[in-house]
């Protein structure tokens, strides 16, 4: 038996709306921040392995050189580039520019396209140089 | 008469120690960009390198200084950012305090272990 309270109309929440690109960019900025917060340990792990000795370093290189390691490193690269682009978006806003409606949409798109482009360019450059 | 506003301005939801949070967050954010670019160059230059080459590269004083600065700057930026995330989502006072302590321990731990490793590489035999 439903009480009258259960039949009240619900207020729409985020999953109801079509996602504006500004919302995507904003959520991406925080999600990438949290991913980098955890992922930073990978860089410190690499430093510890190098400080530890040849055996530890070879083990770390083996992990990062595996297909899963490459996948993680590529994801890490994109996440880092996306967070940097999102940060630059905030730097632009800090100068009180790009805050009008077309401006926020352009900056959101630019940060997402820029993040993907930077990650791809970096990896293509590395793979070509190998 | 002192207004309430003048007493609480700048405290934020943390209630304490947030007076320069945004400024420190931005300064570390600006500094992160050249430091990250430098670190990427160092890491990319070591793809496929053996242990001795990697040790030698990080023994270079400029490279070691860059990486120490990077670790310090990034971990401060991480701690500030995670503090904001905690303030946004953790509302239980006890849990919030525990989250702050965990945030401090994790970021300070990464900084200590990371910098110590660089010093061992740069100064050790």
């Amino acid at each position: 038996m439903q009480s009258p309270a259960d039949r009240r109309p619900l207020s729409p929440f985020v999953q109801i709306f079509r996602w504006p690109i500004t919302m995507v960019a904003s959520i991406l900025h925080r999600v990438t921040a949290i991913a980098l917060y955890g992922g930073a340990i990978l860089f410190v792990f690499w430093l510890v392995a190098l400080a530890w000795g040849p055996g530890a370093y070879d083990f770390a290189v083996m992990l990062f050189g595996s297909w899963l390691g490459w996948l993680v490193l590529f994801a890490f690269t994109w996440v880092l580039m996306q967070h940097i682009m999102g940060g630059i978006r905030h730097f632009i806003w800090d100068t009180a520019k790009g805050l009008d409606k077309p401006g926020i949409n352009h900056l959101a798109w630019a940060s997402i396209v820029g993040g993907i482009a930077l990650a791809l360019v970096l990896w293509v450059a590395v793979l070509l140089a190998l | 008469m002192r207004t309430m506003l003048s007493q609480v301005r700048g405290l934020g939801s943390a209630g304490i120690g947030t007076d320069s949070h945004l400024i420190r967050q931005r300064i570390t954010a600006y500094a992160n960009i050249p430091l990250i670019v430098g670190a990427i160059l160092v890491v990319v230059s070591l793809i496929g390198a053996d242990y001795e080459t990697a040790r030698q590269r990080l023994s270079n004083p400029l490279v070691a200084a860059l990486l120490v600065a990077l670790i310090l700057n990034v971990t401060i930026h991480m701690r500030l950012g995670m503090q904001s995330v905690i303030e946004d989502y953790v509302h239980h006072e006890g849990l919030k305090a525990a989250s702050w302590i965990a945030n401090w321990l994790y970021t300070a731990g990464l900084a200590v272990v990371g910098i110590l490793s660089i010093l061992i590489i740069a100064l050790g035999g």
Side-chain angles (χ1 to χ4, degrees):
Chain A
M1 188 65 195
Q2 278 194 324
S3 70
D6 292 330
R7 290 194 300 273
R8 282 184 308 187
L10 292 168
S11 175
F13 190 51
V14 284
Q15 62 266 45
I16 299 291
F17 301 111
R18 186 164 57 86
W19 282 31
I21 197 64
T22 45
M23 188 163 120
V24 176
S26 176
I27 291 171
L28 269 179
H29 197 59
R30 175 150 286 187
V31 170
T32 53
I34 294 169
L36 290 169
Y37 183 88
I41 205 167
L42 293 176
F43 186 65
V44 172
F45 164 71
W46 178 71
L47 288 173
V48 169
L50 186 58
W52 203 279
Y57 188 68
D58 288 347
F59 176 66
V61 167
M62 194 256 297
L63 286 184
F64 286 127
S66 68
W67 66 267
L68 185 64
W70 276 54
L71 198 67
V72 168
L73 288 178
F74 178 74
F76 191 95
T77 310
W78 171 69
V79 164
L80 181 57
M81 294 303 137
Q82 181 57 51
H83 193 70
I84 289 173
M85 288 293 109
I88 290 172
R89 191 172 67 118
H90 278 282
F91 298 162
I92 294 169
W93 280 339
D94 286 350
T95 67
K97 292 194 178 68
L99 286 162
D100 56 332
K101 201 144 188 194
I104 57 172
N105 286 325
H106 289 155
L107 278 179
W109 274 113
S111 72
I112 293 166
V113 173
I116 296 170
L118 273 180
L120 287 177
V121 164
L122 190 64
W123 271 73
V124 167
V126 165
L127 290 175
L128 285 178
L130 277 182
Chain B
M1 189 183 122
R2 255 176 101 84
T3 62
M4 284 303 285
L5 180 63
S6 75
Q7 289 170 34
V8 299
R9 178 170 276 156
L11 288 180
S13 58
I16 191 170
T18 57
D19 44 316
S20 61
H21 182 107
L22 178 70
I23 302 298
R24 287 186 297 155
Q25 194 277 338
R26 283 297 194 270
I27 289 172
T28 51
Y30 300 144
N32 265 339
I33 292 182
L35 291 172
I36 288 285
V37 170
I40 287 175
L41 291 176
V42 171
V43 170
V44 167
S45 81
L46 288 172
I47 294 175
D50 62 2
Y51 171 77
E52 286 303 327
T53 315
R55 278 291 282 228
Q56 222 160 27
R57 183 77 32 89
L58 265 66
S59 302
N60 180 299
L62 282 178
V63 173
L66 166 84
L67 293 185
V68 169
L70 172 84
I71 299 256
L72 264 179
N73 200 64
V74 164
T75 49
I76 292 170
H77 187 78
M78 276 166 51
R79 176 169 54 77
L80 293 172
M82 187 51 73
Q83 188 186 322
S84 294
V85 173
I86 292 166
E87 285 160 14
D88 282 352
Y89 304 130
V90 183
H91 306 304
H92 181 271
E93 286 303 319
L95 206 57
K96 189 153 71 176
S99 303
W100 284 338
I101 293 170
N103 186 30
W104 266 94
L105 288 178
Y106 176 70
T107 53
L110 280 189
V112 168
V113 174
I115 290 171
L116 188 64
S117 298
I118 297 165
L119 291 180
I120 289 171
I121 295 163
L123 306 175

